[in-house]
Coordinates of all heavy atoms in Angstrom, one line a residue:
Chain A
F354 N 30.9 52.4 -33.4 CA 31.6 51.2 -33.0 C 30.6 50.1 -32.6 O 30.9 48.9 -32.7 CB 32.5 51.5 -31.9 CG 33.5 50.5 -31.6 CD1 34.6 50.4 -32.4 CD2 33.4 49.6 -30.5 CE1 35.6 49.5 -32.1 CE2 34.3 48.7 -30.2 CZ 35.4 48.6 -31.0
R355 N 29.5 50.5 -32.2 CA 28.5 49.6 -31.5 C 28.2 48.4 -32.4 O 27.9 47.3 -31.8 CB 27.2 50.4 -31.1 CG 27.4 51.3 -29.9 CD 26.4 51.0 -28.9 NE 26.5 51.9 -27.7 CZ 27.0 51.6 -26.5 NH1 27.4 50.3 -26.4 NH2 27.0 52.4 -25.6
H356 N 28.1 48.6 -33.7 CA 27.6 47.5 -34.5 C 28.6 46.4 -34.5 O 28.3 45.3 -35.0 CB 27.2 47.9 -35.9 CG 28.4 48.3 -36.8 ND1 29.0 47.3 -37.5 CD2 29.1 49.4 -36.9 CE1 30.0 47.8 -38.2 NE2 30.1 49.1 -37.8
R357 N 29.9 46.6 -34.0 CA 30.8 45.5 -34.1 C 30.6 44.6 -32.9 O 31.2 43.5 -32.8 CB 32.2 46.1 -34.1 CG 32.5 46.9 -35.3 CD 33.9 47.5 -35.4 NE 34.9 46.5 -35.5 CZ 36.2 46.8 -35.5 NH1 36.6 48.0 -35.4 NH2 37.1 45.8 -35.6
M358 N 29.9 45.0 -31.8 CA 29.7 44.1 -30.8 C 28.3 44.2 -30.3 O 27.7 45.3 -30.2 CB 30.6 44.3 -29.6 CG 31.3 45.7 -29.6 SD 32.5 45.7 -28.3 CE 31.9 47.0 -27.3
Q359 N 27.6 43.0 -30.0 CA 26.2 43.0 -29.7 C 26.0 42.1 -28.4 O 26.9 41.4 -28.0 CB 25.4 42.5 -30.9 CG 25.2 43.5 -31.9 CD 24.4 44.7 -31.5 OE1 23.3 44.6 -31.0 NE2 25.0 45.9 -31.6
M360 N 24.8 42.1 -28.0 CA 24.4 41.4 -26.8 C 23.2 40.6 -27.0 O 22.2 41.0 -27.6 CB 24.2 42.4 -25.6 CG 23.9 41.7 -24.3 SD 24.7 42.7 -22.9 CE 24.1 41.7 -21.6
I361 N 23.2 39.4 -26.4 CA 21.9 38.6 -26.3 C 21.6 38.4 -24.8 O 22.4 38.2 -24.0 CB 22.2 37.2 -26.9 CG1 22.5 37.3 -28.4 CG2 20.9 36.3 -26.8 CD1 23.1 36.0 -29.0
F362 N 20.3 38.7 -24.5 CA 20.0 38.8 -23.1 C 19.3 37.6 -22.5 O 18.9 36.7 -23.3 CB 19.0 40.1 -22.9 CG 19.6 41.4 -23.2 CD1 19.6 41.9 -24.5 CD2 20.3 42.1 -22.3 CE1 20.1 43.1 -24.9 CE2 20.8 43.3 -22.6 CZ 20.7 43.8 -23.9
Q363 N 19.2 37.5 -21.2 CA 18.6 36.4 -20.6 C 17.1 36.2 -20.8 O 16.7 35.2 -21.2 CB 18.8 36.5 -19.1 CG 18.1 35.4 -18.3 CD 18.4 35.3 -16.8 OE1 19.3 36.1 -16.4 NE2 17.9 34.4 -16.1
D364 N 16.3 37.3 -20.6 CA 15.0 37.2 -20.6 C 14.3 37.5 -21.9 O 14.2 38.7 -22.2 CB 14.4 38.0 -19.4 CG 12.9 37.9 -19.2 OD1 12.4 37.1 -20.0 OD2 12.4 38.5 -18.3
P365 N 14.0 36.6 -22.7 CA 13.4 36.9 -24.0 C 12.1 37.6 -23.9 O 11.6 38.2 -24.9 CB 13.3 35.6 -24.7 CG 13.2 34.6 -23.6 CD 13.9 35.1 -22.5
Y366 N 11.5 37.6 -22.7 CA 10.2 38.4 -22.5 C 10.5 39.8 -22.4 O 9.6 40.7 -22.6 CB 9.4 37.9 -21.3 CG 8.9 36.5 -21.5 CD1 9.8 35.4 -21.3 CD2 7.7 36.2 -22.1 CE1 9.3 34.1 -21.5 CE2 7.2 34.9 -22.3 CZ 8.0 33.9 -22.1 OH 7.6 32.6 -22.3
A367 N 11.7 40.2 -21.8 CA 12.0 41.6 -21.5 C 12.9 42.2 -22.6 O 13.0 43.4 -22.6 CB 12.6 41.7 -20.2
S368 N 13.5 41.4 -23.5 CA 14.5 42.0 -24.3 C 14.0 42.4 -25.6 O 14.8 42.9 -26.5 CB 15.7 41.0 -24.4 OG 15.3 39.9 -25.1
L369 N 12.7 42.2 -25.9 CA 12.2 42.7 -27.1 C 11.1 43.8 -26.8 O 10.3 43.6 -25.9 CB 11.5 41.5 -27.9 CG 12.4 40.4 -28.3 CD1 11.6 39.2 -28.8 CD2 13.4 40.9 -29.4
N370 N 11.1 44.8 -27.6 CA 10.1 45.9 -27.5 C 8.7 45.3 -27.8 O 8.5 45.0 -29.0 CB 10.4 47.1 -28.3 CG 9.5 48.2 -28.1 OD1 8.4 48.1 -27.6 ND2 9.9 49.4 -28.5
P371 N 7.8 45.2 -26.8 CA 6.6 44.5 -27.1 C 5.7 45.2 -28.1 O 4.7 44.7 -28.6 CB 5.8 44.6 -25.7 CG 6.6 45.7 -24.9 CD 7.9 45.7 -25.4
R372 N 6.1 46.4 -28.5 CA 5.2 47.2 -29.5 C 5.8 47.2 -30.8 O 5.4 48.0 -31.7 CB 4.9 48.6 -29.0 CG 4.3 48.6 -27.6 CD 3.5 49.8 -27.2 NE 3.0 49.6 -25.9 CZ 1.8 49.2 -25.5 NH1 1.0 48.8 -26.5 NH2 1.5 49.0 -24.3
M373 N 6.9 46.4 -31.1 CA 7.5 46.4 -32.4 C 7.4 45.0 -33.0 O 7.6 44.0 -32.3 CB 8.9 46.9 -32.4 CG 9.1 48.3 -32.3 SD 10.8 48.8 -31.8 CE 11.8 48.5 -33.1
T374 N 7.1 44.9 -34.3 CA 7.0 43.7 -35.0 C 8.4 43.1 -35.2 O 9.4 43.8 -35.0 CB 6.3 43.8 -36.3 OG1 7.1 44.7 -37.1 CG2 4.9 44.3 -36.2

Side-chain angles (χ1 to χ4, degrees):
Chain A
F354 196 76
R355 288 233 182 252
H356 73 91
R357 298 181 65 181
M358 14 191 242
Q359 282 297 304
M360 180 146 179
I361 299 167
F362 297 87
Q363 168 173 2
D364 186 355
Y366 292 86
S368 67
L369 297 170
N370 185 340
R372 306 206 183 261
M373 278 164 75
T374 59

